[in-house]
Amino acid sequence: MLVRDWMTRDPVTVTPTTPVMEALKILKDGNFRRLPVMDKGKLIGITTRKDLKDAMPSKATTLSVWELNYLLSKLTVAEMMARPVITAAEGEYMEDAALRMQEHRVGGLPVLDDSGKVTGIITTMDVLRAFTDILGMREGGPRITLEMPDTPGSLEKATRAISPSNIISVATYDGRDGHRRFVMRVSGEGTADVKQRVRDAGITVLD
């Protein structure tokens, strides 16, 4: 799965001179959390709803209404944006982008095409959508978790046992003591007794 297949295309952007109050309104009206900052067609930063709200004076401020309005009118995105920007590429794998988000502890990445143009944005919500799609959540059918030796041929043995049911998704993660766990979702013929068929084949069924 590639980033281009899951990203939000043509994200709303702002410029460095956009007032903070205007940027907050854009975020509120669009119901999203982050805005890439562009200058002459080039990505130079990114700002989030939290960054902008943190720029607001405290409710305990002693400034007058006139002083407060003046201050806010002068405050721009340039003063609050983060840079350099961590980005993703259209053609990279989703898992690579997700790992970068985790490593840098950010909730979204602007997406660039081969020419460096911003064409989208990928967020943790998009990663969750991709994850649930991988697991076949929207397709229904029973879910089974198997634990098998981490050796060649284990998955083939499981697929033979699952037949004639159809495997619509497979995910795997580390088990323990030389084993791996496989999470599968199946559909079609024979799903009522698929777990028993797998057990009869000598495979451990965890759920």
Side-chain angles (χ1 to χ4, degrees):
M1 295 194 303
L2 302 180
V3 167
R4 68 166 60 96
D5 299 322
W6 295 95
M7 68 183 188
T8 299
R9 294 186 175 274
D10 302 319
V12 177
T13 64
V14 291
T15 70
T17 58
T18 302
V20 165
M21 292 301 293
E22 181 180 333
L24 278 170
K25 184 177 187 303
I26 291 172
L27 288 171
K28 181 180 179 181
D29 292 346
N31 194 30
F32 39 80
R33 294 180 179 274
R34 53 193 56 81
L35 291 167
V37 184
M38 309 291 293
D39 186 23
K40 299 178 182 178
K42 183 179 180 181
L43 178 68
I44 63 167
I46 189 168
T47 192
T48 68
R49 183 181 300 176
K50 183 179 184 303
D51 294 335
L52 298 174
K53 285 189 173 181
D54 285 348
M56 296 295 99
S58 166
K59 291 182 178 179
T61 181
T62 58
L63 295 174
S64 70
V65 172
W66 304 110
E67 290 172 324
L68 185 58
N69 286 338
Y70 177 79
L71 176 64
L72 293 178
S73 70
K74 296 297 182 181
L75 193 61
T76 64
V77 167
E79 300 169 69
M80 303 309 304
M81 67 184 185
R83 56 177 146 184
V85 191
I86 310 302
T87 63
E90 278 190 347
E92 74 174 309
Y93 295 120
M94 278 290 288
E95 58 264 35
D96 292 328
L99 180 60
R100 193 173 311 115
M101 291 166 65
Q102 183 181 19
E103 289 174 342
H104 292 276
R105 298 187 178 186
V106 294
L109 304 174
V111 182
L112 309 180
D113 65 11
D114 291 339
S115 69
K117 178 184 176 183
V118 175
T119 56
I121 192 164
I122 197 84
T123 69
T124 50
M125 186 60 66
D126 298 318
V127 173
L128 288 174
R129 287 195 300 116
F131 176 72
T132 55
D133 189 74
I134 288 174
L135 294 181
M137 296 293 291
R138 299 183 186 280
E139 298 186 55
R143 173 189 182 278
I144 58 176
T145 303
L146 315 178
E147 187 170 73
M148 296 182 288
D150 190 7
T151 56
S154 289
L155 186 56
E156 180 184 2
K157 179 180 179 181
T159 57
R160 286 201 304 267
I162 288 171
S163 179
S165 299
N166 182 41
I167 299 173
I168 58 177
S169 71
V170 180
T172 180
Y173 61 100
D174 287 336
R176 55 185 176 180
D177 301 326
H179 287 71
R180 290 195 70 80
R181 293 182 178 182
F182 294 81
V183 180
M184 300 183 178
R185 193 170 295 276
V186 299
S187 65
E189 183 181 350
T191 56
D193 58 353
V194 63
K195 291 185 180 181
Q196 189 57 53
R197 290 201 307 276
V198 174
R199 290 191 184 98
D200 290 344
I203 299 171
T204 301
V205 178
L206 298 179
D207 63 36

